[in-house]
Amino acid sequence: MGKKRILSALTALFIVGGILSGCTSNNGNGNNEQSSAQPTSSGNSTGAESQKDGYPDYSGGFHENVTLEIPVYERAFEGWNVTDNFYTRWIQKEFGDKHNVTVKFVPITRSSEVTDFEQLLASGKAPDIIFHYDMPQALNYYGEDVMQELDWEEIANYAPTYWGKMGDTMKQYGTVDGKNTFFFAARPNADNYVSLIRKDWVEKVGMKMEDLTSLEKYNEMLAKWKEAGLGTAGSSLLKNNYNFNYAFREWPVDPKYRALYSDLGVADLTSADSERFLRNLNYQYNNGLIDKEFYLRDDDNKVKAEFVAGKTGTYGLYLTNNTDLFSATLKNNPEAEFAVMPIGAGVPEGNKPQGRAYWPFGFIMGINYESSDMERAAVWMYLEWMSQPENLFFLQNGVEGQNYTLDAEGIALKNPDFKGESVLAQNNNKDYWALVTEIAEYGDPALTLKANLRNWSPPGYEYLAEELVANYEKTAEFRTPDALFSIVLEKVNEYKADLNSLFQELYVKIVLAPEAEFDATYEAAKKTYLEAGYQEILDEKQAAIDAGQFR
Amino acid sequence: MKVESASNQRKISITGVKKAEAAKRGTAYFLRRDWQLYLLLMLPLSFVLAFKYAPMTGLVLAFKDYKIARGFWGSDWVGFEVFQEIFARHDFIRAVRNTLLLNGLDLVFSFTMPIVVALLLNEIKSVKFKRANQTLLYLPHFLSWIIIGAIAYQLLSLGNGAVNNLIEMMGGNRVPFLQKDAHWLVSYLAIGVWQSMGWGTIIYLASISSINPELYEAAIVDGAGRWRKVWNVTLPSIRVTIVTLLIMNLGKIMEGSFERVFALQNKATTEYTTTIPVLVYRWGIESGNFSSATALGLFQAVIGLVLVIMADRIAKRLGEDGLI
């Protein structure tokens, strides 16, 4: 009996201990929550700093060391350590040490950023800034209560330059349910995404680039490619960014129709635009015009590999001057010539070359609910510091004489062969400076354009960047942004992941179906999709649209 | 008979005396006498409590509308609402069906194959050859599923897979090993068997090696051949091991490896790739809906527990030792 009693006593002790330890860690969370709910308390209690407009003055640096955690995209660039490199050390020295701040970078995997943030948030280790490029997901974070309410005055106080530039955007787009929530990076009006096509293939089948005026003509050419045994068009699994059916939409766009269906996060499988898009894809697939295994190409490297190997003749990318695409492709196919895909090539006859316009901001950011007042102030000060032209320029271009030289106009000429200590990340360090702007800018727009062209042009391929810019201007009038809802769409959050997965399943099934079975497969898919939650999303959106809660 | 019962009585009286002594001496006596043992017990006990029981408090999430910012205890109770909601989800029924199907088939093939392989390995006379074979068979167990998935697509894909290239060279037609639903299922099972069969033999081989050689000698004297020896000596001797492992495997029939499905799936063959672990990942990690994921995990665990207990009962009824 005695043994048993001891055992049970021990067990009870451990269970109680375990539960207690569980409680204390959770109580800890509760306390944090309280402190964040009362924004001014801890800031005032640190006391020693003199007050200015009601906000403590930290211009001389914080009295006690503050750890600032900044998220940064991890894009798996070879040989690049995102959290510890020349520039992170430079930031620590120039900003951190001068303000008594320890700047810590938290890597976020680019291709699974939401997953990473969710895990960090759940374990209480998320950085001070929570960011995302698209509003629906940003609203999702807001809906999870993981973002603090912001005080515009506070931002204006600690980051006057930044506020001067972005204040209006924040006032216009940064409030949700009447609460100030988001702050933004600037997005100058420019884009470097380009679809490329193998010009040598086009010419080999007796056509000219100018012949590709419509989708019909393009499909004709693809058929000739197939006949000549050259290859197919590149294609990949649609995921995450559902902006595939713009060329199949009617013009002009009805704002309410657009608000209901156009959504980067949830594909509008059931719209007539998507039907037309899928019908074409089904035709292309069944006639061997596109990569037969497109559904296996689920990340960019796999799509790129097909193009580089000379198996596919089209590929889309964000053009940068240090891309290895051209040299890699030429290694396998010395005769390869590259051209920008003509505007009309993906657009059915009679349609307009529509596209998705960016919102007038880059990163959408919020402050972690667990961040203290001092940490929040440090974020504003960090943005202010980065908004200073000389700091931004250094982050974007590196060390003069090493990474670049200045030409007569004051534009930085990059040295593409530079491999020294201060080498920039493959996308010119964008993941660090994207907190304040999407694209590097000079004071004068003409100069910016010139600089952009240089940043986007690999040596010898300047004509690609020029054509890309020309096309961008030509199609400007046909670009529309997605509607912005001013409320949280609960159903979108609830069903998004399920519908994403279901959409991929259904659309692949539709595309792989024999042409004769397209209609039946599509109808069945529509029904499944609506029943799986899309109908509820449409109903919720319709209610918001009827109430005028969108822009 | 009488003698026996008398000795029994004496035994009882002796234990009776011991019990009385124990009651007199109390807890402290035993603590002092066996303190080393209790100390030793603390290690596994604290481990189990800290890592197995304490996390179970997290199961309350299944009954709450969990918000990260409000914490475990601050979130609102919602009763069985989360369960009702997940049972109504589009993929739920399919996920349960697939989980049972994949694991049921796995039980048929991946569970039996190691027994067969162990029996075969046991018949190999040359020690060196046996060792070499064992090592080769164990190797796949140490590969991560992500690597296996990548290799599988390199070898088996329709467009470019090495195996398909070979088939075509020899005049055959390309086979969509991983790119048609039924083919995928077979490939999934085959790859699973390949990955696990070597490792699975270890326990059986250990069990076989402890069989008394005299049994074999007796069988030989009785004129038994190889088959007879396997059937009448080896298999009955490792039956307890087989039943124990079977019961343990039945407990996993609602689980299934997430990595395995995740690494081998593609979007053209989704009929069998939606399983419970995949849904837990999608709901919990991808969309941050921790309550739904927890509820699904709890549902899966409860079914698993019921299955284990049932299997145990059946095993006992069939005259085996059982597990519990």
Side-chain angles (χ1 to χ4, degrees):
Chain A
M1 286 316 264
K3 264 190 219 169
K4 263 194 185 163
R5 217 183 294 152
I6 293 169
L7 247 178
S8 55
L10 272 175
T11 316
L13 204 78
F14 271 112
I15 289 175
V16 169
I19 290 173
L20 278 181
S21 68
C23 282
T24 46
S25 69
N26 282 307
N27 284 345
N29 265 339
N31 286 340
N32 281 340
E33 178 200 329
Q34 276 180 355
S35 75
S36 67
Q38 303 159 352
T40 44
S41 61
S42 69
N44 288 339
S45 65
T46 50
E49 295 89 358
S50 64
Q51 308 269 313
K52 190 176 82 186
D53 303 332
Y55 301 105
D57 178 16
Y58 300 126
S59 55
F62 292 93
H63 283 224
E64 52 186 275
N65 191 278
V66 173
T67 302
L68 178 62
E69 289 177 87
I70 302 290
V72 57
Y73 279 141
E74 164 73 83
R75 297 176 192 263
F77 291 144
E78 210 179 314
W80 180 255
N81 181 344
V82 286
T83 56
D84 180 23
N85 55 56
F86 180 82
Y87 293 94
T88 59
R89 290 192 289 271
W90 179 76
I91 289 169
Q92 180 58 45
K93 189 169 123 247
E94 294 295 316
F95 170 76
D97 294 351
K98 287 179 185 167
H99 296 90
N100 198 14
V101 172
T102 307
V103 187
K104 204 179 131 198
F105 287 92
V106 180
I108 303 288
T109 314
R110 178 67 179 105
S111 53
S112 58
E113 53 174 321
V114 178
T115 309
D116 278 18
F117 266 117
E118 294 289 0
Q119 280 176 339
L120 290 169
L121 282 165
S123 56
K125 290 186 181 131
D128 291 310
I129 296 177
I130 295 160
F131 61 40
H132 199 270
Y133 270 118
D134 302 310
M135 194 51 109
Q137 179 55 37
L139 283 169
N140 200 353
Y141 288 132
Y142 165 82
E144 287 172 9
D145 291 347
V146 295
M147 288 174 170
Q148 296 186 13
E149 190 172 349
L150 305 177
D151 172 6
W152 293 155
E153 295 288 315
E154 185 187 64
I155 306 179
N157 176 56
Y158 289 115
T161 316
Y162 172 71
W163 176 257
K165 205 171 166 198
M166 295 309 298
D168 288 338
T169 313
M170 280 188 245
K171 280 187 207 158
Q172 196 183 345
Y173 298 102
T175 45
V176 195
D177 297 337
K179 288 186 210 152
N180 301 338
T181 305
F182 300 127
F183 54 106
F184 304 97
R187 180 184 288 279
N189 188 19
D191 189 9
N192 60 333
Y193 188 83
V194 66
S195 292
L196 296 177
I197 183 167
R198 285 281 295 273
K199 189 170 169 235
D200 53 319
W201 284 12
V202 178
E203 286 163 359
K204 228 177 240 172
V205 295
M207 289 179 84
K208 286 196 292 273
M209 292 301 298
E210 301 84 68
D211 296 337
L212 301 175
T213 50
S214 68
L215 179 65
E216 288 77 6
K217 281 272 178 353
Y218 174 68
N219 281 342
E220 224 171 85
M221 178 209 68
L222 291 180
K224 287 184 188 168
W225 278 9
K226 192 195 169 198
E227 234 168 80
L230 291 170
T232 63
S235 190
S236 61
L237 184 72
L238 294 174
K239 59 178 200 177
N240 299 335
N241 295 332
Y242 297 116
N243 56 357
F244 51 84
N245 66 16
Y246 274 90
F248 297 84
R249 295 185 188 184
E250 278 166 20
W251 182 264
V253 188
D254 171 19
K256 288 189 175 173
Y257 177 85
R258 178 200 64 171
L260 186 61
Y261 286 111
S262 199
D263 191 327
L264 217 48
V266 180
D268 54 334
L269 179 76
T270 60
S271 70
D273 315 319
S274 292
E275 181 181 348
R276 289 190 281 268
F277 164 82
L278 290 170
R279 198 177 288 280
N280 172 62
L281 206 56
N282 175 270
Y283 167 82
Q284 289 180 326
Y285 174 83
N286 279 305
N287 290 284
L289 308 185
I290 53 165
D291 186 348
K292 274 266 175 205
E293 291 179 304
F294 69 92
Y295 52 86
L296 296 184
R297 320 285 176 234
D298 54 0
D299 74 36
D300 184 58
N301 278 333
K302 294 179 187 161
V303 191
K304 188 175 164 186
E306 297 294 305
F307 184 79
V308 165
K311 288 181 188 158
T312 58
T314 63
Y315 176 65
L317 80 162
Y318 288 99
L319 197 62
T320 53
N321 55 11
N322 50 4
T323 175
D324 61 353
L325 178 78
F326 303 106
S327 55
T329 311
L330 282 168
K331 208 182 273 172
N332 294 318
N333 317 274
E335 72 293 346
E337 287 174 59
F338 310 92
V340 174
M341 182 87 79
I343 297 173
V347 186
E349 213 122 13
N351 280 24
K352 299 287 184 229
Q354 289 190 56
R356 179 178 182 276
Y358 284 116
W359 286 308
F361 41 80
F363 260 136
I364 305 162
M365 297 172 277
I367 297 280
N368 188 338
Y369 74 103
E370 290 189 303
S371 299
S372 67
D373 295 344
M374 287 213 285
E375 284 163 345
R376 194 174 59 246
V379 169
W380 307 139
M381 288 158 71
Y382 182 59
L383 294 177
E384 177 65 12
W385 172 82
M386 198 179 273
S387 299
Q388 303 308 314
E390 64 277 11
N391 296 334
L392 195 54
F393 194 82
F394 186 86
L395 273 176
Q396 289 166 338
N397 296 290
V399 183
E400 187 174 1
Q402 295 184 15
N403 300 79
Y404 70 96
T405 48
L406 280 182
D407 73 356
E409 291 167 294
I411 295 177
L413 290 176
K414 292 262 160 74
N415 172 8
D417 300 322
F418 179 70
K419 292 279 181 285
E421 197 203 350
S422 65
V423 66
L424 299 162
Q426 272 184 46
N427 57 355
N428 296 327
N429 285 352
K430 183 171 157 186
D431 297 317
Y432 299 96
W433 50 264
L435 297 185
V436 297
T437 182
E438 255 311 278
I439 295 170
E441 276 188 304
Y442 289 81
D444 165 28
L447 211 56
T448 303
L449 179 62
K450 231 178 224 177
N452 281 348
L453 285 175
R454 282 190 196 156
N455 276 334
W456 296 344
S457 307
Y461 294 96
E462 287 78 6
Y463 65 95
L464 293 178
E466 277 161 27
E467 205 167 338
L468 147 74
V469 171
N471 284 352
Y472 186 74
E473 278 161 16
K474 268 185 237 168
T475 52
E477 59 170 313
F478 302 115
R479 274 196 299 274
T480 45
D482 285 346
L484 275 176
F485 287 88
S486 53
I487 54 160
V488 180
L489 298 168
E490 296 284 348
K491 296 291 174 194
V492 173
N493 296 346
E494 188 178 337
Y495 291 116
K496 197 175 142 187
D498 274 348
L499 287 179
N500 265 330
S501 168
L502 184 62
F503 170 76
Q504 292 181 337
E505 177 184 336
L506 293 175
Y507 109 86
V508 171
K509 198 178 276 172
I510 295 166
V511 174
L512 300 193
E515 275 181 271
E517 288 168 29
F518 175 87
D519 290 305
T521 316
Y522 179 65
E523 280 311 314
K526 255 165 82 170
K527 192 163 168 288
T528 313
Y529 198 64
L530 285 170
E531 282 171 3
Y534 194 55
Q535 186 61 53
E536 287 183 49
I537 289 182
L538 290 179
D539 292 344
E540 187 187 33
K541 278 191 174 177
Q542 192 61 56
I545 292 166
D546 292 342
Q549 291 159 320
F550 76 108
R551 264 187 294 262
Chain B
M1 282 301 247
K2 261 187 191 166
V3 179
E4 218 174 78
S5 69
S7 76
N8 265 353
Q9 261 175 3
R10 236 172 62 201
K11 255 188 210 164
I12 291 167
S13 68
I14 287 173
T15 46
V17 170
K18 271 190 183 167
K19 268 182 191 169
E21 271 175 34
K24 246 185 272 166
R25 284 173 175 165
T27 314
Y29 167 78
F30 287 104
L31 259 184
R32 216 173 315 120
R33 195 187 66 183
D34 297 330
W35 65 272
Q36 294 100 327
L37 287 177
Y38 288 117
L39 204 65
L40 214 57
L41 179 70
M42 299 267 268
L43 281 175
L45 202 62
S46 53
F47 178 85
V48 167
L49 286 171
F51 294 108
K52 298 287 179 190
Y53 285 90
M56 278 193 203
T57 52
L59 287 175
V60 296
L61 286 196
F63 307 96
K64 289 191 157 210
D65 176 22
Y66 177 60
K67 299 261 180 185
I68 292 174
R70 298 175 64 182
F72 270 25
W73 307 107
S75 301
D76 300 325
W77 291 98
V78 292
F80 283 92
E81 219 172 81
V82 181
F83 286 92
Q84 283 168 354
E85 192 190 299
I86 62 166
F87 292 157
R89 286 278 183 115
H90 159 75
D91 270 339
F92 176 75
I93 296 295
R94 189 161 66 150
V96 172
R97 184 204 72 184
N98 285 344
T99 310
L100 290 174
L101 177 75
L102 291 184
N103 290 322
L105 289 172
D106 243 358
L107 206 58
V108 174
F109 295 103
S110 295
F111 179 74
T112 49
M113 197 49 95
I115 303 174
V116 176
V117 175
L119 292 176
L120 288 175
L121 281 174
N122 191 44
E123 296 299 318
I124 296 174
K125 283 280 164 306
S126 154
V127 177
K128 265 189 195 161
F129 184 62
K130 187 175 165 183
R131 288 271 156 79
N133 266 307
Q134 275 176 289
T135 311
L136 283 176
L137 284 168
Y138 295 164
L139 273 182
H141 172 82
F142 296 102
L143 293 176
S144 105
W145 274 111
I146 302 302
I147 306 285
I148 295 177
I151 295 174
Y153 276 98
Q154 288 288 325
L155 290 177
L156 301 176
S157 79
L158 190 59
N160 230 344
V163 173
N164 268 322
N165 290 345
L166 197 71
I167 292 175
E168 199 171 51
M169 245 171 54
M170 298 193 304
N173 287 324
R174 303 183 83 89
V175 184
F177 290 108
L178 290 162
Q179 284 149 272
K180 281 256 160 57
D181 283 323
H183 289 78
W184 185 88
L185 190 59
V186 174
S187 303
Y188 171 88
L189 288 171
I191 292 171
V193 168
W194 169 78
Q195 194 261 359
S196 63
M197 68 178 177
W199 192 251
T201 59
I202 291 182
I203 289 181
Y204 295 116
L205 283 174
S207 177
I208 289 172
S209 71
S210 69
I211 297 172
N212 187 349
E214 283 172 18
L215 290 176
Y216 288 109
E217 285 157 20
I220 292 169
V221 172
D222 286 344
R226 285 205 156 176
W227 273 115
R228 273 277 143 222
K229 276 195 286 179
V230 167
W231 193 252
N232 290 56
V233 180
T234 317
L235 275 177
S237 304
I238 62 171
R239 201 177 60 199
V240 179
T241 314
I242 295 176
V243 171
T244 308
L245 286 179
L246 184 65
I247 295 172
M248 283 166 70
N249 270 300
L250 272 175
K252 291 189 198 145
I253 204 159
M254 287 293 281
E255 291 173 16
S257 154
F258 168 72
E259 296 94 338
R260 182 165 156 206
V261 174
F262 201 71
L264 291 173
Q265 69 167 358
N266 67 73
K267 290 294 170 183
T269 54
T270 47
E271 189 54 34
Y272 302 116
T273 53
T274 307
T275 59
I276 290 180
V278 168
L279 282 191
V280 170
Y281 176 79
R282 195 196 292 159
W283 293 349
I285 306 293
E286 278 190 309
S287 49
N289 197 342
F290 295 99
S291 290
S292 302
T294 310
L296 187 58
L298 182 58
F299 166 77
Q300 165 193 329
V302 169
I303 303 276
L305 182 67
V306 169
L307 281 172
V308 168
I309 291 172
M310 263 169 46
D312 186 62
R313 288 282 149 80
I314 293 171
K316 276 181 185 151
R317 201 159 290 172
L318 294 178
E320 299 293 336
D321 276 346
L323 204 62
I324 308 162

